[in-house]
Amino acid sequence: MPRSNTATGWLLAAPLTLVLAAFLVLPIVMIVIVSFWGATEFSIYPAFEFDNYKYLFGSSVAWQVFGTTFRYAFVTWALTLSIGFTVAYFLAFHVRTLTWQITLALICTVPFWTSNIIRMISWIPFLGRNGIANSTLLSMGVIDQPLEWLLFSDFSVLLTFVHINTFFMIVPILNTLLRIDKSLIEAARDAGATGPQILWNVILPLAKPGIMIGTIFVLTLVMGDFITVRFMSGSQSANVGRLISNDVGLLQYPSAAATSVVLLCTVLIVVAGLLRLVDIRKEL
């Protein structure tokens, strides 16, 4: 490649590189640096010590919070994958016209016309003790008294997570399924394969890149969330994001930075493991 073309390429990439360095790399570097600082009840002082990490890894509460975070992430992933793959499969193979595929896919975006906070809070009057769900069940005679676990519980947290994040699973899977050559399915059917066999041996292997992309979206969003857990659990449960938020509220920035670094490393390890399972560069 001529030197002039190389220089032109570097010049074109320079603005984006500077933006990423200023607004992504530099903040992360600062968080890592602050995570080694020390703090007292009244001050924060620059230092290079591992007290924040020692306290974090030595705290049983922190381990429980990380366990809760992984539990929320895994259950949300399983439910969003089940719902997202089903919806994407229906749109890709049972909706025949492109117009209806686009229309129904756009309908899936309707919840995104409002903010996450509004969609989250909208569940409270529905799941409350005197909410729509309990009132309906009582009027139908299904239950004798209101169900207390519908709201401010793990159920409400997971329900909201699934509601908010399912779309991030539908889109990449749908994009992958639409690229599958229908002649492969016809060939498998002509060879005597049943519907489940076609699904397991043809469609799922070809849909792996979309599934992995959706998995990365859902896991990273759930593991970094803290507002949903705070509102929908009634402050009765906590995840890592909530732990960081509490430390920031108490002005314990070094402790919050250390927890953020551990969470970031955990997410990066999970994403790196997923990227080794399938080459998703074909989908990007």
Side-chain angles (χ1 to χ4, degrees), residues 94-270:
H94 290 279
V95 179
R96 299 301 181 182
T97 64
L98 179 61
T99 301
W100 275 108
Q101 286 178 338
I102 295 175
T103 302
L104 294 176
L106 289 176
I107 291 176
C108 294
T109 68
V110 169
F112 284 82
W113 295 359
T114 60
S115 69
N116 284 356
I117 302 296
I118 295 176
R119 284 183 286 155
M120 183 193 316
I121 295 177
S122 66
W123 282 107
I124 295 178
F126 183 83
L127 300 174
R129 194 174 191 279
N130 299 315
I132 298 174
N134 273 318
S135 299
T136 302
L137 293 174
L138 285 170
S139 63
M140 294 174 61
V142 178
I143 57 177
D144 297 327
Q145 56 184 1
L147 300 175
E148 303 289 347
W149 52 266
L150 288 181
L151 186 61
F152 301 142
S153 62
D154 285 347
F155 172 80
S156 58
V157 173
L158 291 171
L159 178 64
T160 306
F161 272 143
V162 172
H163 176 209
I164 292 175
N165 296 299
T166 297
F167 183 74
F168 295 105
M169 188 68 78
I170 294 175
V171 173
I173 295 178
L174 177 60
N175 181 53
T176 305
L177 293 181
L178 289 176
R179 297 185 181 188
I180 295 178
D181 189 351
K182 302 300 188 296
S183 62
L184 296 176
I185 299 175
E186 294 297 331
R189 186 175 290 111
D190 293 339
T194 62
Q197 289 175 331
I198 294 174
L199 176 63
W200 184 259
N201 296 301
V202 178
I203 296 177
L204 280 178
L206 295 175
K208 280 183 179 180
I211 293 174
M212 288 303 166
I213 294 174
T215 298
I216 291 173
F217 282 153
V218 171
L219 290 182
T220 53
L221 289 171
V222 173
M223 294 183 70
D225 187 281
F226 69 95
I227 290 293
T228 302
V229 177
R230 177 183 177 183
F231 285 162
M232 300 310 296
S233 71
S235 297
Q236 300 181 56
S237 184
N239 63 346
V240 180
R242 180 76 191 280
L243 189 64
I244 297 171
S245 176
N246 289 342
D247 285 339
V248 171
L250 296 173
L251 304 182
Q252 296 296 317
Y253 297 118
S255 177
T259 307
S260 301
V261 171
V262 174
L263 176 61
L264 176 62
C265 292
T266 303
V267 173
L268 290 177
I269 291 173
V270 172

Side-chain angles (χ1 to χ4, degrees), residues 10-28:
W10 280 106
L11 289 175
L12 292 174
L16 180 59
T17 302
L18 292 175
V19 171
L20 291 176
F23 296 101
L24 178 63
V25 178
L26 183 59
I28 293 177

